[in-house]
Amino acid sequence: MKSTPFAGRCKARVLTLALVGALVLAACGSDDAKSSTPSTTGNSGGTAAESTAAPSSSTGGSSGDVLAALMKGADAAPAGDPLPIVKDKSVFIVSCGQSLLVCSEPIAGAVEAAKEAGWKTTVFDPASDAAKFATGISQGIAAQADAILLMSIDCSLVKSQVEQAINAGIQIMTMQSVDCNDAAGGGGPSLYTGREPKLPGFDTFADWSRHWASQKLLWVADKTGGKAHILHLVEPEFPIYQTIKEGVESGIKEHCSGCTSTDLEYTFNEGPASLQQKIQQALLKDPDINVILAPDDATVLSGVSAAVVAEGKQGKVLVVGGEGAEPSLDLIRSGGGQDAALAYDLKWFGWAAIDSLNSNFQKQPIRESGIGYQLIDASNVPAKPGAYQSPIDYRADYRRLWGLA
């Protein structure tokens, strides 16, 4: 499948680099390659955040500098002026599947934030069946909710129902979802613009996702001397996975040009036994494979790590996952079939979504969330068990910004 180029942009940003101090960086992209966009790190508690930026190999920073910045992490406190929380709202939340941590953890964050705001929430679980996403939205409309929050539900899958909700005067908010106007989503009219948390340096989650996926290749290139033979796991049915695929392809070109990659397709609803069997067969067929790139931790935990362990390939085949779910970080600590994750705080997305709804209810601009990510491997995996948590105390920041502190 042909990779879709990143949209070009040219923005001047004032940045404070961790090692070289303040400077102004003009980050200009093209239609051929997405410009590398720095993220920021800040102190918690809602105080003025010290900003650090990940240097970009495409704008003068070396790959080693970028990797070092990724290992350090890049989060910032939520930006903008205080906006008191609106009272007495109801939010109907449609999950992508509560059995998947990548779905349930952001929703847990949203429920937690809504409770803090005094809002009511209802969670619809489609049991990871995409055919039920539309049913969830329809139930939210029938319940006359003030807002419907979609977790990793791409616009092209539920276009009609989203339009019905908007026409009914219901606020739509999304987390980690691809809009209809994105090339991966079919290229139709936008329905999600202004209806997703704002991420540092990117206009849409889809572009953030592409960049996030591309950055994994910095670690792969470093660990393999730029000579990785990659088994790239590809889910062909969902737009969000297409953005990750495009990001990996871009990352290979930019960061690991001496690497080779072979796609292995699987489906979102494929059982762990089937995926494990596919991977074991691939490893037996091609003993030169030394890296497996999974789009997310859910895939790693659904047969990938088991396949690597069954073949006795721990440490020989490096497995790179996604968002830093608790079981994945446990595997990284133990050497149990996952070696790295480009982690971000899943619950922060939920808090950012509630904050963004608060802005939309009051017809105010959505504030920048500050959500970044950190490359986690055995050298820096947190000793304390649990899912990845940002060092930013964003909960306290939102309470202060909502007038609840």
Side-chain angles (χ1 to χ4, degrees):
M1 189 174 294
K2 186 177 180 181
S3 174
T4 302
F6 293 102
R9 60 167 65 91
C10 180
K11 298 179 181 177
R13 300 181 178 90
V14 181
L15 304 172
T16 305
L17 295 184
L19 300 178
V20 299
L23 56 85
V24 176
L25 176 64
C28 299
S30 71
D31 287 337
D32 297 322
K34 167 76 173 64
S35 65
S36 180
T37 304
S39 299
T40 53
T41 287
N43 298 320
S44 61
T47 58
E50 177 190 358
S51 228
T52 62
S56 166
S57 57
S58 63
T59 54
S62 70
S63 293
D65 290 338
V66 180
L67 179 59
L70 284 177
M71 299 292 289
K72 184 177 180 180
D75 287 338
D81 296 328
L83 183 65
I85 198 76
V86 175
K87 301 298 183 183
D88 301 323
K89 295 296 183 181
S90 61
V91 183
F92 195 95
I93 305 174
V94 183
S95 174
C96 47
Q98 288 297 91
S99 65
L100 303 174
L101 292 174
V102 70
C103 300
S104 62
E105 285 291 285
I107 288 175
V111 170
E112 181 182 273
K115 182 178 181 181
E116 192 76 24
W119 297 359
K120 296 178 181 179
T121 56
T122 301
V123 177
F124 175 85
D125 181 9
S128 304
D129 183 355
K132 296 179 180 178
F133 293 166
T135 300
I137 297 173
S138 295
Q139 288 190 14
I141 296 171
Q144 298 182 324
D146 294 305
I148 296 175
L149 174 58
L150 308 178
M151 174 59 215
S152 199
I153 297 177
D154 299 321
C155 175
S156 61
L157 305 175
V158 290
K159 180 176 180 292
S160 176
Q161 288 73 26
V162 169
E163 289 175 335
Q164 290 174 33
I166 293 171
N167 291 336
I170 296 173
Q171 290 282 351
I172 293 290
M173 183 56 57
T174 67
M175 298 186 287
Q176 301 182 33
S177 305
V178 177
D179 200 350
C180 285
N181 69 340
D182 190 272
S190 168
L191 290 178
Y192 289 176
T193 297
R195 298 186 173 103
E196 60 181 343
K198 188 176 180 181
L199 298 165
F202 295 92
D203 294 330
T204 67
F205 176 76
D207 278 347
W208 187 92
S209 174
R210 291 179 173 103
H211 189 262
W212 170 79
S214 74
Q215 300 302 281
K216 296 180 184 182
L217 275 300
L218 288 159
W219 186 87
V220 169
D222 180 72
K223 295 303 178 184
T224 64
K227 300 295 183 183
H229 187 37
I230 300 166
L231 183 65
H232 179 203
L233 304 185
V234 174
E235 209 291 346
E237 297 181 0
F238 292 92
I240 185 59
Y241 285 121
Q242 176 64 20
T243 67
I244 295 172
K245 178 180 184 289
E246 292 167 4
V248 168
E249 292 169 349
S250 173
I252 290 173
K253 290 179 181 178
E254 183 175 359
H255 305 303
C256 203
S257 59
C259 298
T260 61
S261 179
T262 301
D263 288 355
L264 176 64
E265 288 194 355
Y266 73 103
T267 62
F268 179 71
N269 290 319
E270 190 162 329
S274 174
L275 182 57
Q276 178 179 342
Q277 182 180 32
K278 282 185 178 180
I279 293 172
Q280 286 185 242
Q281 289 173 347
L283 293 175
L284 290 171
K285 181 179 179 181
D286 188 354
D288 291 331
I289 292 170
N290 58 358
V291 172
I292 298 176
L293 279 179
D296 52 24
D297 286 341
T299 303
V300 174
L301 299 169
S302 296
V304 177
S305 58
V308 170
V309 171
E311 294 300 316
K313 296 281 190 176
Q314 304 99 302
K316 299 174 184 176
V317 174
L318 302 177
V319 176
V320 184
E323 58 282 349
E326 180 175 0
S328 287
L329 296 187
D330 290 342
L331 292 178
I332 293 172
R333 288 188 198 93
S334 66
Q338 183 168 345
D339 300 278
L342 193 47
Y344 51 86
D345 194 312
L346 288 164
K347 288 185 177 178
W348 192 345
F349 271 94
W351 278 79
I354 296 301
D355 179 67
S356 299
L357 274 173
N358 185 52
S359 295
N360 283 357
F361 281 133
Q362 301 183 65
K363 295 180 171 52
Q364 296 298 313
I366 292 176
R367 78 175 75 252
E368 189 167 286
S369 65
I371 297 172
Y373 40 75
Q374 181 178 8
L375 198 295
I376 300 293
D377 65 12
S379 71
N380 67 343
V381 62
K384 183 180 178 180
Y388 176 80
Q389 296 183 43
S390 171
I392 300 295
D393 189 358
Y394 56 86
R395 293 173 175 86
D397 291 331
Y398 285 125
R399 291 187 192 102
R400 175 184 61 82
L401 290 165
W402 297 343
L404 301 177

